[in-house]
Amino acid sequence: TSKPIMSEEGKKLGLIDAIVSPEELLKVSRLWALEIGDRRKPWIRSLHRTDKIGSLSEAREVLGASRQHVKKTAPHLPQQQACIDVIEHGILHGGYSGVLREAEVFKKLVLSETAKGLIHVFFAQRAISKVPGVTDIGLKPRNVKKAAVIGGGLMGSGIATALILSNIRVLLKEVNSEYLLKGTKMIEANVRSLVTRGKLTKQKADGALSLLKGVLDYTEFKDVDMVIEAVIENISLKQAIFSDLEKICPPHCILATNTSTIDLNIIGEKTNSQDRVVGAHFFSPAHIMPLLEIVRTDKTSAQVILDLMTVGKIIKKSPVVVGNCTGFAVNRTFFPYAQGAHLLVNLGVDVYRIDRLISNFGLPMGPFQLQDLAGYGVAVAVGKEFAGAFPDRTVQTPLLDLLIKSGRNGKNNGKGYYIYEKGSRPKPDPSILPIIEESRRLCNIMPSGKPISVTDQEIVEMILFPIVNEACRVLEEGVVIRASDLDIASVLGMSFPSYRGGIVFWADLVGANHIYTSLRKWSQLYGNFYKPSRYLEERAIKGIPLSAPGSSNPRPKARL
């Protein structure tokens, strides 16, 4: 597991002979060595010890149970099975033989695609802290000691939780006492749940909650260092809030919005402080999900970006700086995810087959279970935003509207593509089939009225290749600084499997040419949704990896 252990546990496991103070270490070690040399103390080599193993039958029973556990929990990670195999070899043939086998197996594993993917993610996560024109011009981050969060809903309460857990004082503002009480209760529940799960002591939880103060107006905003607006996606409301903030907050205060769809230039257009306006896009639940998208406009100052990056690290997030466009980097790249799934269903592919195959690929859940989790209202609203921004490549299907009309709203009311009951896993709901049939009838896109015949691999590719295609547009437009930023954002924001290295890294393993030819074929059969982007076409024809930096970006959105 690579889990670090303390010295006491090491001694208990037989990995350490004795524990002494740092001052005594050399003295005791010398005496120990002399006593071994004089044969007054036995020389016990850890490698040859067997007293902790137990009988062979016991060892085999433990290893057998471990193998079954790993098959269920990590089917795509060969290193876990390899560890068990090597341990078994050492038990059967002795420690020295086990070490030799370990070296042999390691040499094979380190060259595998899984190892390459994990290594890439490791370095990609470290690369995001380097932002040209921000981190390399000698600026020093300013302290953010007091912050304000406007809106105590699901996102606002999560953001406030993340801040207080990292010792930043927070003012939570709501429009009335009822909403404010709901917001503070949600924050308390977030913090208390960490105590219940053993992730936080009661003392630290009480200390964190003491940093929170609920307010109903802007009176106490005069000395805040940062404000994060997290109200509903309403342009005029957000514009009014930012106009008020500019008048009340100190001149150094960061003015951030948690919007996931609205153009930041529109939000800040009625202020004279557009150099302080920045996106702080958290992912739900905000106090748990590790990604923070920092969205900059052409006018956002380098100092504000640096300050927000620093806050991100303090609250244990991985901040990725991205450009300003519909959906920013992650949501923009992954908007074809649900669209492709709906298109396939209307072409006659089974909903639950799609979800099962995508889960088998390594995502935590398929697109339909994800829609159930988010709620259909969110899916409809987001769908409208992307349809307005990218009408040439969006899929319009009636399935969600039909589900809503039938009284379903996913996990929120226990009925969606799946049935949700307390204490049990989601179960496929057969009564949804007539609704799907109605959607197929209205769409009328099945060739000759019959479901298409596709392999499991084709289904996975028809869902994921359009995401790669959109990632190519994001790279071409300069929305991210480097391809690896999009990889780490896809892993941390959309739970794309880390052992596949992120969306662009995985696409390069598959090969741009295969992705391009597949999309071109499907676009001729099923329409523009699959039409390959110019960037993908150029890279495929020239044999250049998708992740390779371009000589120039024609429309740099990120200005980096």
Side-chain angles (χ1 to χ4, degrees), residues 157-409:
S157 60
I159 294 165
T161 304
L163 291 166
I164 60 172
L165 285 171
S166 296
N167 214 30
I168 296 172
R169 283 187 296 143
V170 173
L171 295 173
L172 180 70
K173 183 190 176 295
E174 259 297 359
V175 290
N176 60 43
S177 301
E178 184 192 345
Y179 286 174
L180 185 59
L181 185 63
K182 274 186 188 172
T184 51
K185 287 208 161 165
M186 272 202 276
I187 295 165
E188 282 172 20
N190 289 341
V191 173
R192 298 290 178 214
S193 75
L194 293 172
V195 176
T196 308
R197 284 165 27 217
K199 305 252 172 150
L200 199 68
T201 64
K202 187 180 180 303
Q203 188 182 359
K204 283 187 178 173
D206 292 340
L209 290 169
S210 72
L211 298 171
L212 177 71
K213 184 176 183 185
V215 295
L216 295 171
D217 56 40
Y218 293 117
T219 312
E220 294 187 53
F221 279 46
K222 289 174 184 173
D223 62 344
V224 293
D225 303 306
M226 176 179 73
V227 179
I228 300 175
E229 165 272 307
V231 301
I232 55 169
E233 297 285 68
N234 179 301
I235 290 173
S236 55
L237 174 61
K238 288 179 189 280
Q239 286 177 334
I241 287 169
F242 274 75
S243 294
D244 290 340
L245 292 174
E246 184 185 33
K247 293 169 198 158
I248 295 151
C249 300
H252 72 276
C253 178
I254 299 166
L255 306 177
T257 172
N258 180 55
T259 184
S260 56
T261 50
I262 301 171
D263 187 324
L264 266 66
N265 289 316
I266 295 170
I267 290 173
E269 73 180 3
K270 296 190 176 176
T271 75
N272 296 314
S273 305
Q274 290 183 32
D275 60 322
R276 292 192 278 150
V277 174
V278 66
H281 182 217
F282 290 79
F283 290 74
S284 185
H287 61 296
I288 292 169
M289 288 295 279
L291 181 66
L292 170 61
E293 266 187 319
I294 296 177
V295 188
R296 70 182 295 172
T297 70
D298 295 345
K299 293 171 184 170
T300 310
S301 77
Q303 184 67 60
V304 164
I305 298 292
L306 183 67
D307 292 346
L308 192 49
M309 285 175 72
T310 306
V311 170
K313 288 170 190 171
I314 288 168
I315 64 173
K316 298 176 180 63
K317 304 292 177 197
S318 293
V320 177
V321 176
V322 302
N324 180 32
C325 67
T326 302
F328 315 132
V330 176
N331 287 346
R332 159 83 183 273
T333 300
F334 278 82
F335 93 83
Y337 182 52
Q339 300 244 318
H342 277 255
L343 180 57
L344 277 178
V345 165
N346 285 291
L347 285 167
V349 182
D350 178 60
V351 163
Y352 305 112
R353 185 183 176 199
I354 292 168
D355 268 6
R356 176 174 51 79
L357 292 171
I358 294 299
S359 295
N360 289 347
F361 175 82
L363 276 104
M365 62 185 74
F368 297 104
Q369 195 180 340
L370 184 64
Q371 269 191 351
D372 271 1
L373 189 66
Y376 301 156
V378 171
V380 169
V382 170
K384 281 178 185 169
E385 284 291 331
F386 286 112
F390 311 116
D392 59 315
R393 55 183 186 274
T394 45
V395 176
Q396 303 285 351
T397 83
L399 183 52
L400 272 177
D401 289 333
L402 291 171
L403 288 167
I404 292 164
K405 276 180 191 169
S406 73
R408 294 169 189 266
N409 192 24

Side-chain angles (χ1 to χ4, degrees), residues 19 56 73 81 87 113 135 140 158 191 202 230 255 274 284 410 488 507 515 518:
I19 300 169
L56 190 58
T73 57
Q81 287 286 0
I87 290 166
E113 288 187 357
T135 58
K140 289 187 178 176
V191 173
K202 187 180 180 303
L255 306 177
Q274 290 183 32
S284 185
I488 196 66
I515 296 169
S518 300

